[in-house]
Amino acid sequence: MAEKNKILLQGNEACVLGAIRAGMKFYAGYPITPSSEIAEKAAELLPKHGGKFIQMEDEIAGIACAIGGSLAGLKSMTATSGPGFSLKQENLGYACIAEIPLVVVNIMRMGPSTGLPTSPAQGDLMQAKWGTHGDHPVICYYPSSVREMYEYTIKAFNMAEKFRTPVLVMTDEVIAHMRAGVEIPEEVEIIDRKKPEWGKSYLPFKVTDGEEIAPLAAFGSGFRFHVTGLAHDEMGFPSNNPLRNDEMIRHICAKVDKCNDEIVESAEHFTDDAEVLFVACGSVARTALYVVKQMRSEGVKAGLLIPKTVWPFPEKALKALSSRIHKIIVPEMNMGQLVYEVERIVKGDSTVTLLEKVTGELFKTEEMYNKAMAVIKQ
């Protein structure tokens, strides 16, 4: 890679550059710490790349406007933090049932409520899965570095376009405000949504010819269809038909579930001979990797699994490891959320221990090392 392609970026800046590289042409949102730099950078760069930026009056309007931009045919994004993520949940559900491509970024801070606006936390992991009501698909990436903020924002747009669904990019304040040199690749895979062929009948919610995802026409492009948050028929108009409603819900879930192997990503460090396994995300994973290396230098066979997608969770990777590793440690900047998914998957094959922290501070390496060693010695 040529040195000229390596630039110093903040995590939030890398997110915007990745979005623009993926083809983002519309951003609507409301500034909120610690995600505000995303809006600021989008406002600066989007007009230079033929896009539009609009600051809305609140968080609800931000995602609603981004949904409208996507329906108009533009790759769209909005970004927020904890309180704003809560406000966006109803419209996230709308985008799920109406099968609207959209990227939503959530830079986590400590809560509940206003909490600590400038402090890191990981309290939104379960909200990302269950925050909006009903049965619906969830794809959620969790970058652990500035480079990954760039890469996974591109992947989020690709998955949103491919599966016609909102996709989340979620990380903690530390990764968002960290700065690092990032190599900008000359070529990246870009996926665009399928569009209907002109002159043929168009049913935007009908799956035909073995295709799991129907094409999506842009509003104003000449195709007639309806979009609603209600249960709907293949044309998009409200439906109370029980068989159709069953088909609709099963479809929006299955289109993601059937492609888990394509979507799910994780990283493993020193797991080949590990006897103790750490499972951690984001900035906590960075501390955990340092601790794992320190332990191995002292003869403790420790390893680390980093989920890059928290939803769908890398279940196969964890299950394979837990079948031979009988002690798992889950450090989190919350009172315990990721740990519940770990416990569900291992089903008693391993002893799972939570190391929680809710001070609004990073895990210090010495702190995590001492707590983990106490667990290992039990």
Side-chain angles (χ1 to χ4, degrees):
M1 183 68 64
E3 191 65 21
K4 65 179 180 180
N5 288 333
K6 191 169 186 177
I7 56 177
L8 181 65
L9 290 176
Q10 183 197 63
N12 282 338
E13 292 175 328
C15 175
V16 176
L17 290 183
I20 290 174
R21 185 71 176 274
M24 176 179 70
K25 294 297 181 184
F26 187 68
Y27 181 102
Y30 187 79
I32 178 173
T33 305
S35 74
S36 295
E37 294 87 357
I38 296 176
E40 292 169 1
K41 204 67 178 178
E44 174 190 346
L45 296 181
L46 261 179
K48 299 177 182 178
H49 292 83
K52 302 290 183 182
F53 170 93
I54 183 169
Q55 179 174 317
M56 300 304 293
E57 66 269 26
D58 58 32
E59 296 283 3
I60 300 171
I63 187 171
C65 194
I67 287 172
S70 182
L71 284 171
L74 303 179
K75 291 185 179 181
S76 301
M77 184 174 86
T78 189
T80 189
S81 186
F85 194 52
S86 298
L87 289 168
K88 293 182 187 297
Q89 292 302 321
E90 183 179 0
N91 274 326
L92 263 176
Y94 183 96
C96 287
I97 198 170
E99 300 188 65
I100 301 168
L102 179 71
V103 173
V104 179
V105 182
N106 175 21
I107 307 300
M108 289 182 287
R109 71 195 215 188
M110 189 174 177
S113 190
T114 307
L116 293 172
T118 60
S119 297
Q122 297 178 313
D124 305 354
L125 296 173
M126 286 298 175
Q127 187 187 25
K129 174 69 172 176
W130 306 111
T132 189
H133 62 282
D135 294 295
H136 56 88
V138 178
I139 301 174
C140 179
Y141 292 105
Y142 196 146
S144 297
S145 68
V146 177
R147 175 180 59 82
E148 288 182 355
M149 285 290 282
Y150 180 87
E151 294 174 346
Y152 283 112
T153 302
I154 294 174
K155 289 185 178 182
F157 272 96
N158 284 345
M159 296 300 101
E161 294 286 308
K162 181 171 184 176
F163 295 107
R164 274 189 63 179
T165 191
V167 175
L168 308 177
V169 177
M170 184 165 65
T171 194
D172 51 81
E173 178 274 336
V174 174
I175 303 301
H177 286 152
M178 180 184 296
R179 293 185 182 273
V182 177
E183 291 183 346
I184 304 299
E186 295 179 2
E187 296 183 5
V188 295
E189 180 186 19
I190 302 298
I191 297 175
D192 297 319
R193 68 190 68 172
K194 293 187 296 184
K195 298 179 181 178
E197 295 182 36
W198 187 251
K200 294 186 177 181
S201 60
Y202 178 50
L203 295 173
F205 300 100
K206 181 177 178 61
V207 179
T208 58
D209 301 326
E211 294 289 334
E212 195 65 43
I213 314 297
L216 179 61
F219 271 18
S221 62
F223 292 90
R224 178 178 178 269
F225 65 102
H226 189 262
V227 177
T228 177
L230 290 165
H232 49 264
D233 60 20
E234 294 173 340
M235 188 64 159
F237 288 100
S239 168
N240 286 324
N241 183 304
L243 293 178
R244 167 56 194 169
N245 296 339
D246 179 85
E247 179 185 57
M248 178 195 67
I249 294 298
R250 291 184 186 279
H251 161 66
I252 65 172
C253 293
K255 66 183 181 182
V256 170
D257 292 343
K258 289 180 179 179
C259 297
N260 270 11
D261 289 343
E262 176 185 352
I263 297 167
V264 173
E265 294 190 35
S266 61
E268 297 183 25
H269 299 272
F270 307 107
T271 58
D272 289 346
D273 64 343
E275 297 175 354
V276 178
L277 179 69
F278 286 77
V279 181
C281 296
S283 60
V284 179
R286 301 171 71 92
T287 304
L289 181 57
Y290 184 94
V291 169
V292 164
K293 291 178 179 179
Q294 182 178 349
M295 286 182 170
R296 294 190 74 88
S297 71
E298 298 170 359
V300 178
K301 293 182 179 180
L304 171 64
L305 173 68
I306 306 175
K308 300 300 182 179
T309 51
V310 287
W311 306 113
F313 196 86
E315 187 164 340
K316 289 182 180 180
L318 178 58
K319 190 66 178 175
L321 291 170
S322 69
S323 66
R324 59 178 177 81
I325 298 175
H326 301 298
K327 189 163 286 190
I328 297 177
I329 298 172
V330 186
E332 301 187 61
M333 289 190 291
N334 57 49
M335 289 296 291
Q337 294 190 22
L338 191 70
V339 68
Y340 294 128
E341 189 68 3
V342 173
E343 289 174 337
R344 181 191 69 81
I345 292 166
V346 304
K347 292 182 174 65
D349 289 343
S350 304
T351 300
V352 180
T353 302
L354 167 68
L355 302 182
E356 78 276 7
K357 185 166 186 175
V358 288
T359 63
E361 301 171 304
L362 278 172
F363 266 102
K364 296 180 175 62
T365 53
E366 182 179 5
E367 170 191 19
M368 186 183 294
Y369 172 87
N370 290 336
K371 288 183 177 181
M373 286 302 293
V375 171
I376 293 169
K377 292 175 181 178
Q378 289 177 353

